[in-house]
Amino acid sequence: MKTYTAEEVKTHNNANDCWIIVEGKVFDVTKFLSEHPGGKKVLLKMAGKDASKQFKTFHNASIMQRVGLPMQIGVIGLPANADEGEKKETLTVKKHENKKETAPAKPALLENNQVGKFGEGYPYGDPNWYQEWRSPYYNDSHLKVRNAVREWVDKEITPFCHEWSENKEIPKSVLKRAAEVGFLAAVSGAGTNPKMAYLLPYGLPGGVTTAEFDIFHEFICVDEVARSGSGGLVWALQGGLAIGLPPVMNFANEELKNRIVPECLAGDKVISLCITEPSAGSDVANLTTTAKDMGDHFLVNGEKKWITQGAFADYYTVACRTGGEGMAGVSLLLIERTFPGVSARKMDCQGMWGSGTSYITFEDVKVPKSHLIGKLNEGFKYVMHNFNHERLGIVMQANRLSRVCIEEALKYALKRKTFGQRLVEHAVIRNKFGHMIRQCEATHAWLESILYQVKTLPEGEQPSLLAGPIALLKAQSTQTFEYCAREAAQIFGGLAYTRGGQGEKIERLYREVRAYAIPGGSEEIMLDLGVRQAMKKCSKL
C-alpha cells in the first residue's frame, strides 16, 4: 500500500478532494461525504487532518472493517529526507500501532494449568482463564479451538452482524463457512459423540480430533461465536441444529442418520426442532399435533410455533401425539420440508432477527413409517434426553452476552466524558459495573462446575443429578443477562436506544433478552423444576 506523509494529506482538504487519517491509515472519503450518517460537514472539518480521536469517540470498531477499509488508499510514513532519529522514533510508534491491530500471539503450551493473556485485555471482557488465571478445565487443545474460532468470528462474523440483523437474513455462505470451520459439528453434540466421527464432513475447529474433543471445547465454540453480540446470528447458525439434530443422531435408524447428519453438519441442509405449539409451550406432555397411523405411513396434522431456523429448514424433528393423553402418547417424526402439506412462514419477533423463527403448519402430511425416530410413543423420553444439552447451550450464550454488555459498556465508559470526568470515574457507574461483573463471574463459575460433571459423570447418572442444577443455572444466566443488558443500556444512554453505531450491540441484545428467558423452559418453570428436583432428594433423608 502506498505511503504518504501528513503534509501530503493536508493538501487534500476540500469537498472535491477529501482525505483523512485514522490510526496511521489514509482514507479518501470524497465520494463518501454525502453518505456519511452524521452529514458531510463533520468529515469536511477534519479534511486533510488526523481524525483518529474523533473516530474512536463516535464509532465502534466494526465500522472500520465494514465501511472504512474499502476507502483506504495508503498509510502514513516519513518523507525521504527524514533523519535517522525521526525514522527510529516513527518505527517504534508504528510497531506499537501495529501491535494493537494484529491478532494476539498464540499462548504457549499450558504449564501448571496456566495460560498467557489472550484477547483485548479488558477486565472481565473474557473468561478469567484468558487473562492469566489458572484453570483445571483447559489444555492446549482448548487453546487451538479458541484461537481458530476467534479468528473466524473477528474477521468474518462480528463486522457484519448489524447488517445481517437489519436485513433479517443471514447469507447462506455464512452457514456453509460455519460448517467448514467445524463449528456446526462442535455445537450439535456430534463433536462429543465418538460414534458420529465418521459422519463429520469437515472435522472440528482447530484441527482437534474427536478423541480430544469434550464439552469444554463445545463451550468455547458457543462462547466465542456469542461474543459477536448477536443472539440472532448464533441461532441462525445453530438454533435449530443443536436441538433438532441430536434426536436423529441418537435415536433414528441408520438410513436417516447416515443421510441427514452429514448434510446438516456440512451446512447444505438445515434442521429444526418442532415442539412448541400455539397452546403448548413448556407443557410438552400436552401437545396436540397428531400423527395418525394409516398402515404404511403416518398422517400428520397440527401447528408448531416459534420454531427457530424453521423458515429455511429442510427437515423438522416433530413431536406428535401418536397415542393417548400425556407424555406416554408422544412420538418423534422426521418430516421433510418437501412433503406435501408442510408450510412455514416467518414470524416478526422482537429480536433474534435473521434466525428464521417461524410458524409451521402440517396439513394431512404423509410421513413414511421409516421416519419414526426411535420407538413409538417414546418421544417424550427423547425430548427430555436433549433438554439438559439445550439449556446448557442457552446458558453458554446468555453468559457470554452478559460479558459483551460488560465489555462494550466499559470501553464506552473509558472514553465518554461527562461533567469533566470519564463515565467510569463516576462512583454510580462503577457500582453498576460491580453488580454486572459479580453476577456474570458467578454464573460462569457455576457453569464450568456443571460442565465438569457432564464431562466426568456416567451418562446414565446425569439426568437425575444435573437436571435441577441446570434448570436453576438457566434462570440465573438469563436474569444476569437481563440485568447486564439494562445496566449497559443505562451507561450508553441514547446510543443504546438507537440501532447501529456505538451502542449497536447493546440495543440489539436488549431486544434479545426475552428470547433467552423464555425458550428452553421459562425462568418460572426452571426455578420450580430446580427446587422440585431438590425436594425429591429430601424425601430420602
Side-chain angles (χ1 to χ4, degrees):
M1 189 159 284
K2 192 171 180 180
T3 299
Y4 298 94
T5 65
E7 293 300 319
E8 288 178 297
V9 175
K10 281 183 182 179
T11 63
H12 302 270
N13 58 12
N14 58 74
N16 297 317
D17 185 18
C18 183
W19 292 10
I20 61 172
I21 301 168
V22 177
E23 296 183 327
K25 300 182 180 73
V26 180
F27 300 88
D28 183 349
V29 298
T30 309
K31 295 180 180 179
F32 182 66
L33 289 175
S34 59
E35 299 177 21
H36 186 247
K40 68 166 68 174
K41 288 188 176 181
V42 174
L43 285 177
L44 286 173
K45 286 180 182 178
M46 300 308 300
K49 301 175 184 177
D50 190 326
S52 299
K53 182 178 180 181
Q54 290 81 356
F55 180 86
K56 288 182 179 179
T57 301
F58 296 106
H59 299 87
N60 60 36
S62 67
I63 290 293
M64 176 59 76
Q65 185 167 346
R66 191 172 72 245
V67 179
L69 293 184
M71 293 185 283
Q72 185 181 358
I73 59 172
V75 295
I76 291 296
L78 280 176
N81 60 355
D83 62 35
E84 289 301 316
E86 286 181 294
K87 287 182 179 179
K88 185 174 181 181
E89 182 180 350
T90 303
L91 185 62
T92 303
V93 172
K94 209 160 182 56
K95 282 182 178 178
H96 178 68
E97 290 175 349
N98 288 340
K99 185 177 180 182
K100 289 182 180 179
E101 295 168 3
T102 54
K106 291 182 179 180
L109 296 180
L110 291 182
E111 184 176 343
N112 297 322
N113 297 327
Q114 186 173 12
V115 295
K117 289 183 179 178
F118 182 86
E120 295 182 61
Y122 287 95
Y124 307 104
D126 276 315
N128 53 34
W129 69 276
Y130 286 31
Q131 300 181 352
E132 298 185 299
W133 280 48
R134 299 187 178 195
S135 172
Y137 303 122
Y138 306 98
N139 58 41
D140 187 54
S141 67
H142 296 98
L143 303 187
K144 291 177 182 177
V145 170
R146 180 192 66 183
N147 297 347
V149 178
R150 175 156 295 197
E151 181 179 11
W152 166 54
V153 172
D154 280 353
K155 289 183 178 179
E156 302 179 39
I157 300 295
T158 303
F160 310 102
C161 281
H162 177 65
E163 177 186 341
W164 297 336
S165 179
E166 292 298 301
N167 291 338
K168 296 188 177 181
E169 186 174 0
I170 311 299
K172 291 183 179 179
S173 60
V174 179
L175 181 65
K176 185 63 179 178
R177 183 69 179 129
E180 292 170 349
V181 299
F183 175 75
L184 300 187
V187 300
S188 64
T192 52
N193 186 346
K195 295 179 181 178
M196 292 295 107
Y198 75 103
L199 294 177
L200 304 187
Y202 296 109
L204 295 162
V208 174
T209 66
T210 53
E212 296 174 295
F213 199 87
D214 61 29
I215 191 66
F216 286 99
H217 294 94
E218 180 178 335
F219 175 28
I220 291 168
C221 291
V222 175
D223 185 70
E224 285 292 333
V225 173
R227 184 173 170 269
S228 66
S230 174
L233 177 280
V234 179
W235 284 20
L237 297 180
Q238 70 159 87
L241 177 84
I243 55 180
L245 194 61
V248 177
M249 291 191 296
N250 295 319
F251 306 109
N253 59 57
E254 292 301 309
E255 187 278 325
L256 281 183
K257 188 184 305 181
N258 292 335
R259 175 166 64 93
I260 291 169
V261 172
E263 290 179 334
C264 293
L265 297 185
D268 297 327
K269 300 287 186 179
V270 174
I271 190 169
S272 292
L273 181 67
C274 295
I275 294 180
T276 303
E277 299 180 350
S279 58
S282 297
D283 189 10
V284 178
N286 286 316
L287 55 84
T288 59
T289 295
T290 60
K292 188 176 180 181
D293 192 336
M294 304 299 289
D296 62 343
H297 67 272
F298 292 103
L299 192 66
V300 179
N301 284 279
E303 299 82 33
K304 299 293 182 177
K305 196 173 184 181
W306 299 293
I307 305 305
T308 305
Q309 288 190 296
F312 41 80
D314 301 282
Y315 303 118
Y316 300 103
T317 301
V318 185
C320 307
R321 185 156 303 285
T322 52
E325 295 182 356
M327 63 184 70
V330 175
S331 296
L332 286 185
L333 295 178
L334 192 286
I335 300 180
E336 303 188 30
R337 179 70 169 267
T338 56
F339 289 175
V342 179
S343 64
R345 61 176 175 83
K346 287 184 180 179
M347 297 176 65
D348 193 11
C349 299
Q350 180 183 39
M352 313 306 277
W353 296 351
S355 65
T357 303
S358 59
Y359 192 101
I360 314 295
T361 303
F362 303 104
E363 295 182 349
D364 293 329
V365 181
K366 295 180 179 179
V367 181
K369 287 288 187 70
S370 61
H371 282 49
L372 175 66
I373 296 175
K375 296 180 180 180
L376 190 68
N377 294 329
E378 293 193 10
F380 188 83
K381 178 175 68 175
Y382 306 145
V383 171
M384 293 299 106
H385 181 274
N386 199 47
F387 260 151
N388 280 351
H389 182 261
E390 176 184 358
R391 289 165 182 163
L392 284 173
I394 291 173
V395 174
M396 293 173 188
Q397 295 170 45
N399 205 53
R400 171 53 92 162
L401 296 177
S402 298
R403 266 191 209 288
V404 171
C405 292
I406 294 169
E407 183 177 12
E408 291 295 304
L410 181 57
K411 288 178 180 177
Y412 181 69
L414 286 168
K415 66 181 182 181
R416 167 70 168 156
K417 287 187 176 181
T418 60
F419 307 104
Q421 288 183 307
R422 295 182 301 170
L423 275 180
V424 76
E425 291 168 346
H426 294 284
V428 67
I429 299 298
R430 293 197 299 273
N431 183 268
K432 290 180 182 294
F433 279 116
H435 286 302
M436 292 161 72
I437 290 165
R438 67 173 177 80
Q439 293 179 66
C440 181
E441 289 299 323
T443 304
H444 192 101
W446 193 5
L447 173 58
E448 286 184 323
S449 176
I450 287 180
L451 292 180
Y452 184 72
Q453 308 311 310
V454 173
K455 178 182 177 180
T456 57
L457 279 174
E459 188 174 351
E461 295 179 18
Q462 292 185 26
S464 61
L465 285 174
L466 300 182
I470 289 174
L472 294 174
L473 179 58
K474 180 184 180 292
Q476 163 78 7
S477 70
T478 57
Q479 290 189 356
T480 297
F481 177 27
E482 182 167 9
Y483 181 87
C484 290
R486 183 208 184 268
E487 294 299 88
Q490 289 298 109
I491 292 169
F492 269 92
L495 291 174
Y497 189 64
T498 309
R499 297 218 299 269
Q502 293 183 86
E504 166 202 323
K505 292 181 181 178
I506 305 306
E507 185 278 330
R508 183 169 57 236
L509 292 177
Y510 195 84
R511 286 186 284 105
E512 294 181 341
V513 167
R514 297 267 65 78
Y516 286 89
I518 298 172
S522 68
E523 289 176 352
E524 293 77 10
I525 297 292
M526 293 296 92
L527 292 168
D528 182 60
L529 173 61
V531 176
R532 283 192 292 108
Q533 290 290 318
M535 289 173 62
K536 288 181 181 179
K537 293 180 173 60
C538 291
S539 64
K540 299 176 182 178
L541 297 178

